[in-house]
Amino acid sequence: MDNVSLRDRILSEDYADIIAILDLQQPSVQREFARFGAQSLGSQFAMYHVPLRELPANLLNYLGYYNIPKLYTTLDTTSLERSGILQLQTLPSFQLTGKNVLVGFLDTGINYQSAAFRHPNGTTRILEIWDQTIQSDHPSSFQYGTVYRREQIDEALSSEDPLSVVPTVDTDGHGTFLASVACGSPDPANQFTGASPDCQIAAVKLKPAKKYLHSFFQVPQDALAFQETDIMAGITYLQQLASENGLPLVICFGIGTNQGDHAGGSPLAGMISEYARKTGFYPIIAAGNEAGKSHHFYGKLEEQGGSLPVEILCSPDTEGFSVELWAQPPELYSVSITSPLGETIPNIPPRMRQQSTFTFALERTVLYVNYELVESQSGSQLIILRFQNPTSGVWQIRVTNNIFINGAFHLWLPITGFIPEGTVFLAPNPDTTLTSPSDASGGITISTYNAYDNSLYINSSRGYTRKGGIKPDIAAPGVDVTGVSLAYGDSSASNFRYSTATGSSVAAAITAGAAAILVDWEMNRPLPFVPTAAEIQNLLIRGARRSTDQLYPNRAWGYGTLDLYGIFQSLI
């Protein structure tokens, strides 16, 4: 290892962060990767750091798609009553409020000064905050960021200048809003309460993704993006914190991406599923808001050698974008491309680990096309096209089948926030629009509906996974839900107010609070025990409210709508 510290490697824009499946307990593996600052991310995964100057421009061929961190972004009291949560909070025979459970958030941070995260006596309900953006007192397992503990937060709250003691803030407000929906303390004057108002809280403020990942995936540099390695580190941190304090852990995932195989094959989805097999770990994951965004295309060919044109409208304000094609083996596909001005790149024969770079005579566009015939973890075929300075207008990707089984393939554009609204497929398909990691087999995946009129939210991402896995599990309220927001972006305690928000992350937050209540109930029964994630998942499914005019499970609603009280009715 050179003279650059591990923390500086993690933070420096001059180093690439690489995900790998490594057993760092083996001395030979430790020795081999020590010079790259390898450290465990938890479970079977590790991260190491290589100077960008030592890597070729063709990262995909050198590393493989799986090993490059993907980019994630945020996903945007009638709801509590409709979900059967208020009944369990208020009925004398229940009065369940999540008291003995830790609820964790991996997001934009949390504004700890809000009354929504305090006890009636003014002390904090937050156990810890790991702010990855401030470099001071890092957690023991990771060499970056700063941990603020309950005692420090209480000291800050009693200070005239809280931010001089604990300077972490949530300038975006997304993390604060979700935490208030899931865990907010009761505020009778404003008729507000979170779903599990007595649970303990932990938050990870994710640091921004490195610039080289923005550039590689053609994501705008000013887009709100978090990288996979930091999210995975945050999961392990929360798991260790819960274990140290003897608490079961519910994690609310209000983030997602359109990158990956859409079948639970990403490192992040794999980690979630691995941890979900442990007792006391409950991942509640937002399905996404992509159904109506025209970012997914489904193709079906009838014979070997057949082809199908896929058209993408590129808006004038698009500086770059990527497209991923995924197909199940032994299907094999190749592509040709025609620009808006009619210049055509002929069909590119499929070869293992191939990158082709193309320029256009009449246009400024540079196009990179990578083939992975067997993606390392999923085994699927991946074709990734990256457009730099794309000409506005209609681009055509002609997909040709080379080995035929059933002729099915999928393409995805980047998630909303990573691409201008006007860059879309002209013939999109609203199904299979779940964002990762909601495709994780071990996760509890939540779609979104409107509790006021019982209608599905128009953009609620739909299942199933690309390989037919039954997701989402249930739908929860996520339209015009009340939570704590910031006025004028100010983090002072006096400037907190309530507002409403819509989206699958809000639905996931409500369900995370519901899961905390359910775990709390299990642990306080006459014969208490800590349930598994599979038990909580299936209790939520068992209690879900189902309509007589729907067949279940289905792509939009899963097994029905969240009804926590319905679980107990079904058990009686």
Side-chain angles (χ1 to χ4, degrees):
M1 187 170 175
D2 55 29
N3 293 326
V4 179
S5 70
L6 179 55
R7 186 182 75 176
D8 288 341
R9 283 172 173 255
I10 294 170
L11 301 175
S12 173
E13 294 288 350
D14 297 326
Y15 285 79
D17 304 323
I18 299 169
I19 301 172
I21 297 176
L22 295 174
D23 184 0
L24 293 177
Q25 301 300 315
Q26 294 186 21
S28 61
V29 176
Q30 279 189 346
R31 286 194 301 270
E32 184 176 354
F33 286 89
R35 65 191 179 96
F36 299 117
Q39 60 179 321
S40 173
L41 288 173
S43 185
Q44 59 187 324
F45 298 97
M47 169 177 61
Y48 61 96
H49 316 277
V50 178
L52 282 169
R53 66 177 182 275
E54 296 180 10
L55 293 174
N58 185 1
L59 285 180
L60 274 175
N61 286 9
Y62 185 78
L63 295 172
Y65 180 84
Y66 185 80
N67 304 101
I68 299 173
K70 314 309 176 293
L71 297 180
Y72 293 72
T73 192
T74 52
L75 305 172
D76 286 5
T77 48
T78 296
S79 299
L80 295 183
E81 183 175 359
R82 188 68 180 170
S83 302
I85 293 173
L86 281 183
Q87 293 92 320
L88 296 185
Q89 288 182 359
T90 57
L91 286 177
S93 56
F94 291 103
Q95 294 186 330
L96 297 173
T97 54
K99 186 174 183 180
N100 301 298
V101 180
L102 178 65
V103 180
F105 300 87
L106 301 148
D107 218 287
T108 59
I110 187 169
N111 281 296
Y112 64 87
Q113 296 181 62
S114 172
F117 310 122
R118 302 199 207 184
H119 294 290
N121 64 3
T123 59
T124 189
R125 290 174 47 216
I126 300 172
L127 188 58
E128 280 188 8
I129 302 170
W130 179 22
D131 189 329
Q132 296 180 349
T133 70
I134 299 174
Q135 309 310 317
S136 178
D137 183 15
H138 58 75
S140 58
S141 297
F142 300 99
Q143 302 300 307
Y144 66 111
T146 299
V147 171
Y148 299 102
R149 297 168 178 83
R150 171 180 284 160
E151 296 77 15
Q152 294 168 286
I153 298 171
D154 279 334
E155 180 185 351
L157 292 175
S158 63
S159 168
E160 293 185 0
D161 183 11
L163 295 181
S164 66
V165 181
V166 174
T168 182
V169 295
D170 175 9
T171 55
D172 179 88
H174 187 266
T176 297
F177 191 95
L178 296 193
S180 70
V181 169
C183 312
S185 299
D187 181 0
N190 288 289
Q191 295 184 317
F192 173 81
T193 183
S196 56
D198 283 330
C199 71
Q200 299 194 55
I201 303 167
V204 176
K205 180 177 179 177
L206 298 166
K207 70 176 180 64
K210 288 186 176 181
K211 294 179 180 178
Y212 84 94
L213 291 172
H214 283 257
S215 298
F216 181 80
F217 290 114
Q218 296 297 314
V219 171
Q221 292 292 341
D222 60 353
L224 180 64
F226 310 113
Q227 65 187 61
E228 196 167 14
T229 47
D230 293 324
I231 301 167
M232 294 169 74
I235 293 172
T236 297
Y237 160 78
L238 291 173
Q239 175 68 12
Q240 291 173 347
L241 178 65
S243 179
E244 290 166 3
N245 288 273
L247 297 170
L249 172 65
V250 174
I251 298 185
C252 175
F253 291 88
I255 52 179
T257 186
N258 273 350
Q259 296 174 335
D261 73 340
H262 291 255
S266 70
L268 176 57
M271 170 180 272
I272 290 170
S273 295
E274 178 72 21
Y275 273 133
R277 286 192 280 270
K278 300 180 179 181
T279 300
F281 181 89
Y282 313 97
I284 310 297
I285 311 175
N289 309 310
E290 289 290 293
K293 300 298 186 178
S294 300
H295 291 162
H296 170 244
F297 180 93
Y298 174 71
K300 189 76 164 63
L301 296 172
E302 299 302 325
E303 61 183 358
Q304 185 164 323
S307 66
L308 187 68
V310 180
E311 293 184 321
I312 298 173
L313 176 62
C314 180
S315 69
D317 55 344
T318 304
E319 297 179 0
F321 67 95
S322 62
V323 186
E324 295 185 12
L325 182 153
W326 289 85
Q328 192 64 7
E331 296 271 354
L332 185 63
Y333 294 91
S334 56
V335 297
S336 63
I337 300 97
T338 301
S339 76
L341 297 185
E343 197 167 346
T344 297
I345 296 168
N347 189 62
I348 306 166
R351 297 189 183 94
M352 184 70 75
R353 288 287 178 96
Q354 170 188 331
Q355 174 171 298
S356 303
T357 303
F358 302 95
T359 57
F360 295 80
L362 302 177
E363 303 165 68
R364 297 175 54 239
T365 304
V366 179
L367 172 62
Y368 306 93
V369 181
N370 285 84
Y371 282 24
E372 285 202 6
L373 304 190
V374 181
E375 197 271 329
S376 62
Q377 292 301 309
S378 67
S380 301
Q381 183 188 7
L382 164 65
I383 302 175
I384 179 168
L385 301 92
R386 293 175 291 137
F387 294 79
Q388 182 179 316
N389 298 318
T391 304
S392 61
V394 177
W395 286 84
Q396 183 186 98
I397 302 170
R398 179 165 288 276
V399 181
T400 299
N401 178 276
N402 299 96
I403 297 178
F404 182 86
I405 298 297
N406 60 21
F409 63 91
H410 299 259
L411 290 93
W412 284 274
L413 285 165
I415 192 172
T416 303
F418 286 176
I419 192 172
E421 289 185 6
T423 299
V424 295
F425 288 112
L426 290 182
N429 183 295
D431 295 330
T432 326
T433 48
L434 298 168
T435 56
S436 184
S438 72
D439 52 2
S441 60
I444 302 170
T445 302
I446 312 301
S447 63
T448 310
Y449 84 102
N450 187 334
Y452 298 97
D453 62 9
N454 293 320
S455 64
L456 186 72
Y457 173 48
I458 188 171
N459 289 322
S460 179
S461 287
R462 302 179 190 178
Y464 300 125
T465 71
R466 183 176 60 85
K467 294 183 180 179
I470 304 299
K471 295 290 180 180
D473 294 292
I474 58 171
V479 176
D480 292 334
V481 175
T482 299
V484 169
S485 66
L486 292 172
Y488 318 114
D490 187 349
S491 61
S492 64
S494 61
N495 225 14
F496 284 93
R497 57 181 173 80
Y498 296 103
S499 65
T500 60
T502 295
S504 66
S505 57
V506 180
I510 286 178
T511 310
I517 288 176
L518 198 52
V519 173
D520 188 21
W521 169 73
E522 293 274 28
M523 294 176 60
N524 286 280
R525 295 171 66 183
L527 291 174
F529 74 102
V530 181
T532 65
E535 289 175 273
I536 296 301
Q537 177 189 46
N538 284 285
L539 283 171
L540 290 171
I541 288 172
R542 180 178 291 276
R545 190 181 300 109
R546 285 175 275 275
S547 171
T548 57
D549 61 359
Q550 294 275 351
L551 295 176
Y552 298 94
N554 64 61
R555 294 175 180 271
W557 300 86
Y559 286 92
T561 60
L562 173 64
D563 185 355
L564 200 59
Y565 187 58
I567 295 172
F568 297 90
Q569 290 179 311
S570 72
L571 295 176
I572 294 174

